[in-house]
Amino acid sequence: MKRLAKELDQELTDLELLECFSQSKDELILGFASANKTIYIRANLEPQIGLLQIMNDFKRAKRNSADLFSDLIGIKVISVNVFQYERSFWIDFENGMSLIFKMHGSRSNILLSENDEVKSLFRSVLENDLEIKPSELYKHLDLSLDRFNSLEGNPNKYIPALGKEVKNYLTRKGYFDADLNERWQQLQALLALLETNHICVLNEPKPNISLLETTCDQPLASAISATNELYIRFTKNHYLTSAKSSVIKPLEDQIKKTENYISNTEEKLFKILDRRGYDEIANILMANLHLIQKGQETVTLDDFYSNEKIDIKLNPELSPQKNAENLYRKAKNQNLEIANLEANIESRKVKLEELKKKLAEVAESEDIKSLRKESSSQQSSKKEENLPYHPYLINGYQVFVGKNARHNDELTLKVANKNDLWLHAKDVAGSHVVIRDQAGKKIPKDVIEAAAQLAAWYSKRKTDSLCPVIYTPKKYIRKRKGDPPGAVVVEKENVMMVVPKNFDNSISI
């Protein structure tokens, strides 16, 4: 701060404040000029940042900017000074006013003061700054040897503004194990180093300035150059990190969700595969029809697959042959379910690899623009996830599939219009499906069939080879008071038989 204030004093003295404006919430731009010189200070005071950049030019946005501190416009700078042992400096103007740059990390601010009182703030949210007395920011410290000895050489009490870097430096030098006389010598050498050493801009753990490095890649003598270099590195690091995290977190969530889906679906598949196959039981029944009487609830037969006895439950109202037919039908549906589960697992594994690949690419990316674009795309997808339905586009027609019982009610009762076509798998629990009506057009049969396949897929008949689906204009659907979520009354209906099927969100038939 001392070095920066000294350099700014040389640059700004006798320049007038040409303009002072903000075009984003926590950033203030100050333009100073004379007949042959222009200097701009860009103060980025976001809570996570607190940085300055000094430039020869700055292009103001044509819109969305606001002028500030109008009392100083056209007024010359007298001097720039630092508050001793404080993270602040101030610019004095000819009219007796001052601008105080209070660089206090997340509470950084710029204050307009006059006669030792703060008149206004740049970041008005920090309203306590109005109570600051500028003269109290200036620390008058006794740096005598007597005071040093009375404090037993404690550097943080001797000069509270020294901070962690100095403490770590002194620890490495063996300061805290030395006697008072040695400590005094070390501290005096340290203060001289802080005044004269070159400036290093470091990158770890995040971009920062050090005055204590003996060697660095690009040692800088100018405080303004160091301030600008820090601004560039820190903002790039900050915004890049921010852009990455906004993309990485949703990707990690998707990866975890996909891994859980694969694990749960594999567990479900293994349970089905471990179960006795319906077709085997049906084969045993068909081989022993002569031993079974109609009306039996159970029968014990020889299991020619295991050479043991097997107890088989029967529907007493059906013939033995019909019981076997039901088991063959269940076997067919079970095979369809197994195929669906295996296909779903395989597709999710492919998706998982794509997500992991994308995560690795994002982690390596340095392109803030593309990361922000990806984040925006994810936000759009997230908004879609918050809808009460899965959206589809079939041959140009919007089709909505309710996500659960509560969302079914919202889709049918709030989203759907009276002339939209409503569909639902017949006699089983499932999603409400709505085809959005297009005025003056009749919904094509192939669109209705595709929507019916979705209704079948999102129902308890998902694994059936054929599923009956009812369809009717939404105006013939009503909900009775007290009905549970998703339950409605259909006053008029048509039925079609379809194969349960899911599609991509946008298809042409």
Side-chain angles (χ1 to χ4, degrees):
M1 283 292 179
K2 286 178 72 174
R3 298 195 203 184
L4 180 62
K6 183 178 180 180
E7 291 182 25
L8 286 176
D9 182 64
Q10 293 172 351
E11 294 288 342
L12 298 180
T13 298
D14 292 330
L15 271 60
E16 292 182 2
L17 183 62
L18 186 68
E19 55 182 341
C20 179
F21 60 90
S22 176
Q23 53 193 36
S24 62
K25 183 182 175 185
D26 293 310
E27 184 179 82
L28 184 67
I29 311 296
L30 301 107
F32 301 85
S34 65
N36 54 10
K37 185 178 182 182
T38 303
I39 297 288
Y40 279 85
I41 297 178
R42 180 186 203 173
N44 187 334
L45 305 183
E46 290 183 38
Q48 306 89 344
I49 296 182
L51 296 169
L52 299 174
Q53 186 178 29
I54 291 84
M55 305 163 287
N56 292 323
D57 193 17
F58 186 88
K59 301 298 182 184
R60 182 174 183 172
K62 293 181 179 179
R63 295 188 299 175
N64 299 325
S65 64
D67 292 310
L68 296 170
F69 300 137
S70 57
D71 290 344
L72 297 177
I73 301 301
I75 308 300
K76 277 188 179 183
V77 173
I78 296 177
S79 63
V80 181
N81 305 279
V82 69
F83 289 99
Q84 194 76 356
Y85 306 113
E86 171 63 62
R87 290 174 295 165
S88 303
F89 66 91
W90 81 92
I91 302 174
D92 275 335
F93 291 84
E94 278 188 342
N95 63 355
M97 293 183 176
S98 302
L99 273 183
I100 298 171
F101 287 70
K102 180 175 77 81
M103 307 304 290
H104 286 195
S106 63
R107 301 188 65 80
S108 294
N109 204 353
I110 296 177
L111 295 59
L112 176 64
S113 71
E114 185 178 25
N115 299 325
D116 205 30
E117 288 187 3
V118 175
K119 291 171 61 72
S120 60
L121 310 173
F122 169 55
R123 294 181 65 201
S124 56
V125 67
L126 301 176
E127 55 187 25
N128 288 342
D129 285 353
L130 288 169
E131 307 303 319
I132 289 175
K133 288 286 184 186
S135 60
E136 295 176 1
L137 289 174
Y138 203 99
K139 305 292 191 302
H140 298 278
L141 296 180
D142 175 7
L143 300 184
S144 66
L145 176 60
D146 288 342
R147 180 168 172 270
F148 179 84
N149 289 334
S150 69
L151 295 173
E152 298 180 347
N154 186 321
N156 292 329
K157 291 182 178 179
Y158 185 65
I159 304 178
L162 288 178
K164 292 180 181 178
E165 188 192 10
V166 167
K167 184 177 180 180
N168 293 336
Y169 176 86
L170 291 173
T171 300
R172 293 195 300 270
K173 293 291 186 180
Y175 178 90
F176 295 99
D177 295 324
D179 59 32
L180 271 179
N181 183 57
E182 177 61 24
R183 287 188 183 187
W184 172 255
Q185 298 301 324
Q186 282 197 37
L187 192 59
Q188 296 309 303
L190 168 73
L191 294 178
L193 192 64
L194 290 173
E195 296 281 356
T196 59
N197 195 31
H198 58 245
I199 307 170
C200 290
V201 182
L202 308 176
N203 288 324
E204 298 296 337
K206 59 184 178 181
N208 65 94
I209 278 179
S210 172
L211 300 177
L212 295 175
E213 293 293 319
T214 55
T215 59
C216 62
D217 293 338
Q218 292 179 309
L220 299 167
S222 164
I224 288 179
S225 297
T227 300
N228 288 340
E229 182 65 22
L230 178 66
Y231 186 98
I232 292 168
R233 290 197 201 180
F234 195 102
T235 50
K236 181 181 178 182
N237 177 277
H238 173 75
Y239 291 123
L240 181 62
T241 301
S242 178
K244 279 188 179 182
S245 64
S246 69
V247 177
I248 286 174
K249 181 63 169 64
L251 281 175
E252 289 176 337
D253 290 343
Q254 287 183 63
I255 287 171
K256 185 176 180 181
K257 187 176 179 181
T258 305
E259 288 174 336
N260 288 339
Y261 177 88
I262 292 171
S263 176
N264 293 336
T265 307
E266 285 180 337
E267 185 178 346
K268 184 178 180 181
L269 177 62
F270 294 150
K271 284 181 180 179
I272 293 173
L273 294 174
D274 283 344
R275 237 187 273 154
R276 187 64 181 272
Y278 290 118
D279 53 346
E280 290 185 3
I281 300 172
N283 290 338
I284 294 169
L285 280 180
M286 290 299 292
N288 294 280
L289 289 177
H290 61 288
L291 298 177
I292 308 169
Q293 301 295 322
K294 184 176 180 179
Q296 283 184 259
E297 293 186 357
T298 60
V299 63
T300 302
L301 300 171
D302 289 325
D303 183 348
F304 46 76
Y305 291 98
S306 65
N307 295 320
E308 296 177 354
K309 295 290 184 181
I310 181 173
D311 294 327
I312 301 174
K313 289 184 179 181
L314 301 171
N315 184 339
E317 297 180 0
L318 301 178
S319 68
Q321 189 166 350
K322 283 291 184 183
N323 272 286
E325 288 177 7
N326 280 348
L327 288 170
Y328 281 127
R329 180 177 57 80
K330 285 185 177 180
K332 185 177 180 181
N333 290 338
Q334 189 177 71
N335 289 336
L336 284 173
E337 184 177 10
I338 289 170
N340 283 332
L341 290 173
E342 288 175 338
N344 289 341
I345 289 169
E346 189 58 34
S347 67
R348 294 303 172 95
K349 283 183 176 179
V350 171
K351 181 182 178 182
L352 182 61
E353 288 306 309
E354 291 173 351
L355 289 170
K356 287 182 175 180
K357 182 180 177 183
K358 195 169 189 178
L359 182 63
E361 290 172 353
V362 169
E364 295 296 321
S365 177
E366 299 288 322
D367 188 344
I368 295 176
K369 189 175 180 180
S370 65
L371 288 168
R372 285 176 173 169
K373 186 176 180 181
E374 177 64 28
S375 178
S376 178
S377 175
Q378 287 181 344
Q379 291 299 319
S380 298
S381 298
K382 194 170 183 181
K383 285 180 182 177
E384 188 174 289
E385 287 178 9
N386 292 331
L387 294 172
Y389 52 80
H390 301 288
Y392 288 80
L393 187 65
I394 301 176
N395 272 15
Y397 279 81
Q398 288 182 301
V399 178
F400 306 140
V401 180
K403 292 181 176 178
N404 55 43
R406 181 174 59 82
H407 286 151
N408 281 339
D409 278 351
E410 188 174 346
L411 172 59
T412 298
L413 303 176
K414 296 181 180 180
V415 176
N417 300 321
K418 67 177 184 177
N419 292 324
D420 292 345
L421 196 65
W422 185 91
L423 305 92
H424 194 284
K426 187 174 177 63
D427 299 329
V428 292
S431 293
H432 295 190
V433 177
V434 169
I435 305 175
R436 184 70 87 190
D437 175 61
Q438 296 182 11
K441 292 184 180 180
K442 184 178 179 180
I443 300 174
K445 186 177 179 181
D446 54 6
V447 174
I448 298 174
E449 288 178 351
Q453 288 181 300
L454 288 172
W457 179 267
Y458 285 97
S459 78
K460 294 292 185 181
R461 291 186 184 271
K462 176 179 179 179
T463 57
D464 287 4
S465 53
L466 281 175
C467 171
V469 174
I470 61 176
Y471 62 97
T472 187
K474 186 263 175 182
K475 62 187 176 184
Y476 296 119
I477 307 298
R478 63 183 176 87
K479 189 173 183 72
R480 296 170 300 198
K481 187 176 181 181
D483 278 350
V488 294
V489 175
V490 183
E491 295 179 340
K492 183 179 177 182
E493 67 182 47
N494 298 294
V495 179
M496 68 167 57
M497 301 295 292
V498 295
V499 177
K501 188 176 180 182
N502 197 8
F503 306 102
D504 290 332
N505 286 74
S506 180
I507 63 166
S508 295
I509 303 168

